[in-house]
Amino acid sequence: MTSVAILGSTGSIGTQTLDVIRRNPEEFSVEVLAAGSSADLVIEQIAEFKPSLVVMADAAAAQKIKTEFDTLQVYHGKEALEKAATQSDVIVNAIVGFAGLPVTLAALNAGKRLALANKESLIAGGPIVQKARESKNAQIIPVDSEHCALHQCLGGDTTNADEPFTTVKKLLLTASGGPFRKWTKTELNQATLEDALNHPTWSMGQKITIDSSTLMNKGLEVIEAHELFGIGYDQIDVIVHPQSVIHSMVEFVDSSVIAQLSMPDMRLPISYALRYPTRGEAPWGEINWDTMRRLDFEKPNEEAFPCLGLAYEAGKIGETAPAWLNAANEIAVEAFLKRVIKWVEIPEIIQMTLNEFDGVLAETEHDIYAADRKARVIATAVMEKL
Ligand code: NAD
Ligand code: MG
């Protein structure tokens, strides 16, 4: 029996993780649930999965849950969240945004298997996450579908590989292209929140859905791939593949390409991360080869979607630059979700924030938190000027 901690249990990845566990009760038990403020949904989850520990970001939500289940351990706040991230065999980080960093670090420092959906923590905290990853038995298994695909194409866990991948020529990250794939620059000027939330192939949380519409999600995933697999930015390419059936590919030095295919359903990569190195039944991504007709590919339009290039730039600078990129993006996306800015202003705010980057090295955890705070202040100021 594998015990699982699900941090971010009320979100898109969190609820799909519970779906995988619901279907395999003999294999998995839920030991920890954590979420932001949705007390009512967590109360339902507790009744069904019977965890021994619950942590909420919000104090009032924790109090409400405590009233329902008076013998259950229920806590709130960052320290409790960090403690929760060390309590099970597998820690699923399904929190959205930079708020997931304490979970990533605590899980790795405790030598746990981290099933990582929260890409922002790895991107913003790259250098210090790498140090935490050296802890004995610590392991990151990516939940992001592209990186799960790459993990499979590369032949499994790479955390302690002595040799870098000398036989890899390229990582080929696929992108659906999002809802605006065929939009012109003039049309993009008029893009609304509803347009941006209308993703063609994936149903996900709001933040990542907006990131997919700007291609920032793919930019973040380029950095994520670099951090996970240690492959240089010049060897990571993005290919638009509108059907989202090929989840990514690896091209080797002999020009052989290995791809991973399945229908778009996050429960498959979640199941892979929970069960690695074995596999188990996960029927959701099954392909119907009788109706599968074609798989298309095109180049991303970097002019209409500048976020992709901005991410490569910040990734190549390294150190605290990706933390700045991530923070500016979170500020801009939040403002767009509140209808304070236009869609086309998202990359402008990020670019103008990165123009102020101070070059601070990422030597300690403190450097990352400080960079995040500073970039948020600058991004907010930049936004007010617009
Ligand atoms: P979501 O918005 O649906 O859910 C976010 C979860 O995080 C919720 O449970 C929320 O309560 C919790 N949360 C937010 N702030 C918190 C805090 N401070 N402390 C504790 N919990 C907090 O988001 P999502 O779409 O499930 O995405 C989660 C992560 O997975 C993101 O990093 C996203 O990029 C990544 N991801 C998601 C998908 C997908 O299909 N949804 C695919 C790949 C990667
Ligand atoms: Mg992805």
Side-chain angles (χ1 to χ4, degrees):
M1 188 71 117
T2 305
S3 64
V4 185
I6 306 170
L7 313 177
S9 69
T10 57
S12 164
I13 293 292
T15 52
Q16 292 184 85
T17 304
L18 288 170
D19 250 5
V20 173
I21 293 177
R22 183 179 286 120
R23 203 183 164 95
N24 298 282
E26 68 299 331
E27 242 181 295
F28 303 110
S29 65
V30 176
E31 195 166 324
V32 179
L33 291 175
S37 57
S38 320
D40 292 339
L41 181 49
V42 173
I43 286 170
E44 282 175 33
Q45 293 178 342
I46 295 168
E48 181 177 359
F49 293 96
K50 313 210 164 26
S52 52
L53 173 65
V54 170
V55 177
M56 302 298 288
D58 182 63
Q63 189 51 49
K64 184 168 182 191
I65 294 167
K66 188 75 193 157
T67 328
E68 288 285 318
F69 301 93
D70 55 356
T71 58
L72 182 65
Q73 297 186 72
V74 186
Y75 301 105
H76 75 272
K78 177 169 171 260
E79 268 161 45
L81 191 66
E82 282 171 341
K83 186 128 192 294
T86 65
Q87 301 286 309
S88 303
D89 299 329
V90 182
I91 314 299
V92 180
N93 188 351
I95 292 174
V96 60
F98 187 75
L101 183 59
V103 167
T104 291
L105 292 175
L108 294 174
N109 284 328
K112 292 293 177 182
R113 150 140 357 140
L114 174 66
L116 184 66
N118 177 266
K119 63 191 89 184
E120 294 92 340
S121 58
L122 177 60
I123 289 148
I128 54 160
V129 175
Q130 297 297 9
K131 281 186 204 151
R133 206 178 175 189
E134 286 165 15
S135 313
K136 188 158 180 265
N137 296 327
Q139 190 182 37
I140 304 180
I141 308 295
V143 169
D144 213 349
S145 55
E146 295 77 3
H147 306 78
C148 173
L150 293 173
H151 195 268
Q152 295 180 60
C153 297
L154 288 166
D157 188 24
T158 54
T159 315
N160 298 310
D162 298 329
E163 285 279 299
F165 295 104
T166 48
T167 57
V168 171
K169 184 151 80 184
K170 267 187 177 156
L171 303 183
L172 305 166
L173 276 177
T174 52
S176 71
F180 300 141
R181 182 166 60 91
K182 289 184 179 297
W183 288 40
T184 63
K185 265 194 130 173
T186 329
E187 289 169 327
L188 287 172
N189 254 315
Q190 311 302 325
T192 66
L193 179 58
E194 288 68 27
D195 296 329
L197 285 174
N198 186 22
H199 196 278
T201 51
W202 295 99
S203 157
M204 311 178 284
Q206 288 201 331
K207 195 257 174 182
I208 184 174
T209 305
I210 301 305
D211 285 348
S212 301
S213 78
T214 60
L215 290 200
M216 179 54 93
N217 183 49
K218 211 47 57 180
L220 296 177
E221 290 182 353
V222 167
I223 303 176
E224 182 182 8
H226 170 79
E227 292 291 343
L228 282 171
F229 304 114
I231 302 277
Y233 285 101
D234 297 340
Q235 291 169 271
I236 306 176
D237 283 356
V238 171
I239 300 175
V240 173
H241 163 50
Q243 290 92 356
S244 301
V245 168
I246 296 182
H247 297 295
S248 277
M249 306 181 260
V250 177
E251 184 177 340
F252 293 88
V253 285
D254 60 0
S255 303
S256 268
V257 176
I258 298 187
Q260 185 263 329
L261 287 75
S262 53
M263 295 314 285
D265 193 308
M266 288 308 295
R267 288 172 294 189
L268 195 150
I270 291 167
S271 155
Y272 177 87
L274 292 179
R275 287 158 153 161
Y276 181 81
T278 58
R279 291 177 188 263
E281 203 202 329
W284 301 283
E286 194 179 356
I287 294 173
N288 182 342
W289 294 102
D290 296 334
T291 53
M292 174 71 66
R293 282 291 165 271
R294 52 187 283 181
L295 299 171
D296 296 306
F297 306 95
E298 60 196 47
K299 268 174 89 74
N301 180 350
E302 292 205 41
E303 204 209 329
F305 300 95
C307 286
L308 184 56
L310 289 172
Y312 268 101
E313 255 175 60
K316 285 180 186 169
I317 296 169
E319 299 294 343
T320 57
W324 278 59
L325 173 91
N326 180 67
N329 183 54
E330 287 191 20
I331 292 288
V333 169
E334 202 182 298
F336 177 67
L337 283 168
K338 289 183 179 148
R339 301 181 195 273
V340 174
I341 60 166
K342 290 181 11 172
W343 185 87
V344 282
E345 290 173 326
I346 298 174
E348 285 175 34
I349 290 165
I350 299 165
Q351 171 75 73
M352 288 162 78
T353 305
L354 286 177
N355 289 347
E356 307 288 316
F357 176 56
D358 58 9
V360 170
L361 301 182
E363 286 171 338
T364 64
E365 202 174 320
H366 170 80
D367 296 329
I368 302 295
Y369 284 104
D372 176 75
R373 276 194 304 273
K374 186 167 180 189
R376 280 172 199 267
V377 170
I378 291 175
T380 307
V382 157
M383 197 163 69
E384 275 157 14
K385 261 193 240 155
L386 273 180

